[in-house]
Amino acid sequence: MDKAEFELIAKSVQAASDDRKAAAVIAYAFGEPPGEKSKDRCWIEYAAAAALLHALEEATPDKATRKSLLQAAAKHILADFLPIIAPEEAEAFIKAAAELLASVPTPETLTAGSIKKSVHMIPKAVNVLPKIPIAPTPKEEPAATAAVTVAKSRGKEAAVYVGLRAELAPIAPRLTVFDLSVMQAAASIYASGTKTFSSNQLYRALTGADAHTRITSKATLEAVKKSLDTLQATIITIDAEQQAALRGYKGYAWNKSTFKGYMLPMTKLETAYYSGNKLAASCDCWRILATPPALEYATTIKQVATIPQEVKRLPKGVSATVNNICIRDTLLYYIHLNRGKGTKLNYSTLFEAAGVDTSDRRIYHKMKKAADSLLQYWQEIGFIADQTDVIESSKNDTIYIS
């Protein structure tokens, strides 16, 4: 194992240890865990991280392997905890250590998208976020800034209330559609089991590229980094109490009805990235510490679409610009929101929803061409039906997706 990989593992485990220690303290002090984890699970994960830290302190990079680190961690667990836990319970601690170690990418996957499928969150309460201003006052809980009607019950509308606020000082007035795309890509990496990632890896997951695809847009990569800073510092609150009480949603796994936390609960790791097995340069890596609240909410109400990375790939002629990514993900939202029913929308509606300014007719036609290329590509790979039509007239261009 080279020094850079060893360092990445050490910093990832340290970040996980700090987070799990804090969660365990809160859980046992107040009798209730701070997130979706149980008290026992918080304790198990903290103990597993501590054992791995011991193993890392004793190891040297040139002689260490992931297997040897796990074996050393297992020895620490057995030595430290067997007096207070049953032997069969030790398996849970060792398994947690193995999962933590596996959540740190290898040098080969750190520059790759390293995921086969993406998650795409469909709830209106998630997709309305770009329309909500980020409250600038960090010390006070903001009033709900958006009420999203999800259904009607006994003649009354049931709403989900969504609010955003900044942690310290607002670094953006509001989220953008591109921020949502970055959040979806990071959540996809998290859902795949990898919790530490680089901005380069996220770029590839976002654009559907693989390890062999060159990063073609430095501007988009910089936009990804800026978006991560915004998402890390923005706190979301989703109050779904009315939805949880609905008859049609009572059978869902409502462990809670309010989902709150950072848009991406993560910490930044100043470390390195790789080209193949060789250290390329220092870069920013991130460690996701808990399930993003939007993903937890979308999963609870079973409105998460699983999309093959092939679908996220931008076809030939569609460059990896911020606008094109927003067009793609907005189309995916409309397609999955209307699965089995078909949807009809005109281009101006699509571009407005994607947050793309098409007041310049040249940009309008450029974005229209990108949308048409995406639809044609999705037909070719069988993602959408062959009979999808683009109906055009002199007054109104309409896309009908069957």
Side-chain angles (χ1 to χ4, degrees):
M1 182 181 297
D2 63 30
K3 185 177 180 180
E5 182 181 4
F6 187 88
E7 179 186 335
L8 181 65
I9 292 173
K11 290 189 174 182
S12 297
V13 172
Q14 183 66 63
S17 175
D18 293 343
D19 179 69
R20 288 299 94 195
K21 181 179 180 180
V25 169
I26 293 172
Y28 281 88
F30 297 98
E32 186 175 329
E36 74 274 18
K37 308 280 188 180
S38 66
K39 287 197 298 183
D40 287 345
R41 187 62 193 174
C42 288
W43 163 245
I44 287 171
E45 291 185 356
Y46 168 56
L52 270 174
L53 283 176
H54 281 303
L56 286 159
E57 289 171 359
E58 296 170 352
T60 54
D62 58 330
K63 295 181 180 179
T65 64
R66 291 179 181 241
K67 183 177 180 180
S68 69
L69 289 173
L70 182 58
Q71 289 173 338
K75 288 181 181 179
H76 282 292
I77 289 169
L78 294 174
D80 296 342
F81 298 110
L82 272 188
I84 56 176
I85 62 173
E88 57 272 18
E89 291 179 324
E91 293 179 8
F93 288 77
I94 296 171
K95 183 180 178 181
E99 290 173 351
L100 174 54
L101 199 55
S103 73
V104 184
T106 63
E108 291 79 11
T109 61
L110 193 58
T111 54
S114 72
I115 56 174
K116 295 181 179 179
K117 295 180 180 180
S118 286
V119 296
H120 203 78
M121 302 168 215
I122 309 303
K124 293 180 181 179
V126 174
N127 287 277
V128 77
L129 290 174
K131 298 179 181 179
I132 304 172
I134 299 174
T137 307
K139 295 181 180 179
E140 299 177 5
E141 284 291 333
T145 51
V148 182
T149 301
V150 291
K152 289 186 177 181
S153 178
R154 298 177 182 177
K156 296 182 179 180
E157 291 185 344
V160 173
Y161 297 97
V162 190
L164 295 172
R165 70 177 177 87
E167 178 194 24
L168 298 174
I171 58 177
R174 63 181 66 233
L175 298 176
T176 66
V177 175
F178 184 71
D179 289 326
L180 288 193
S181 293
V182 172
M183 188 266 291
Q184 303 258 27
S188 298
I189 293 175
Y190 177 84
S192 75
T194 300
K195 298 179 183 179
T196 298
F197 63 89
S198 68
S199 53
N200 290 41
Q201 183 183 8
L202 183 63
Y203 173 96
R204 289 187 164 91
L206 178 68
T207 59
D210 56 30
H212 306 292
T213 304
R214 186 170 59 89
I215 292 178
T216 55
S217 175
K218 291 184 178 180
T220 301
L221 181 59
E222 288 304 312
V224 165
K225 294 178 181 180
K226 182 179 178 181
S227 179
L228 286 172
D229 288 332
T230 300
L231 293 165
Q232 185 199 29
T234 303
I235 296 170
I236 181 174
T237 301
I238 302 175
D239 179 359
E241 184 176 351
Q242 291 183 18
Q243 189 176 23
L246 288 178
R247 182 183 303 173
Y249 285 95
K250 284 186 177 178
Y252 288 57
W254 291 98
N255 295 322
K256 57 187 178 183
S257 59
T258 298
F259 305 84
K260 181 181 177 182
Y262 295 102
M263 285 292 296
L264 284 179
M266 60 187 184
T267 188
K268 198 169 187 178
L269 308 175
E270 293 297 336
T271 179
Y273 72 89
Y274 305 79
S275 176
N277 284 317
K278 295 182 180 179
L279 176 65
S282 60
C283 83
D284 53 339
C285 285
W286 301 82
R287 175 78 185 179
I288 300 181
L289 302 170
T291 306
L295 177 61
E296 190 180 2
Y297 165 69
T299 303
T300 298
I301 62 171
K302 300 181 181 179
Q303 290 188 14
V304 178
T306 301
I307 301 175
Q309 274 297 93
E310 181 186 22
V311 173
K312 300 289 286 288
R313 191 168 301 144
L314 296 168
K316 187 176 180 180
V318 180
S319 55
T321 64
V322 169
N323 280 348
N324 286 343
I325 289 168
C326 292
I327 293 289
R328 179 203 63 194
D329 286 355
T330 303
L331 274 172
L332 287 174
Y333 170 67
Y334 280 119
I335 288 170
H336 280 282
L337 190 65
N338 298 281
R339 271 291 189 203
K341 299 179 291 184
T343 183
K344 184 170 70 173
L345 65 153
N346 57 44
Y347 286 100
S348 58
T349 301
L350 169 64
F351 299 150
E352 182 181 356
V356 178
D357 181 5
T358 54
S359 55
D360 185 320
R361 295 302 294 178
R362 290 176 299 176
I363 296 177
Y364 178 92
H365 287 292
K366 187 176 181 180
M367 293 298 98
K368 181 175 175 292
K369 185 178 179 181
D372 291 347
S373 296
L374 284 162
L375 291 170
Q376 182 180 353
Y377 169 64
W378 290 337
Q379 286 180 8
E380 291 172 355
I381 64 175
F383 177 65
I384 55 177
D386 289 340
Q387 61 266 35
T388 295
D389 297 316
V390 178
I391 307 166
E392 300 184 14
S393 69
S394 58
K395 293 183 179 180
N396 185 31
D397 292 346
T398 302
I399 307 169
Y400 175 72
I401 303 172
S402 57

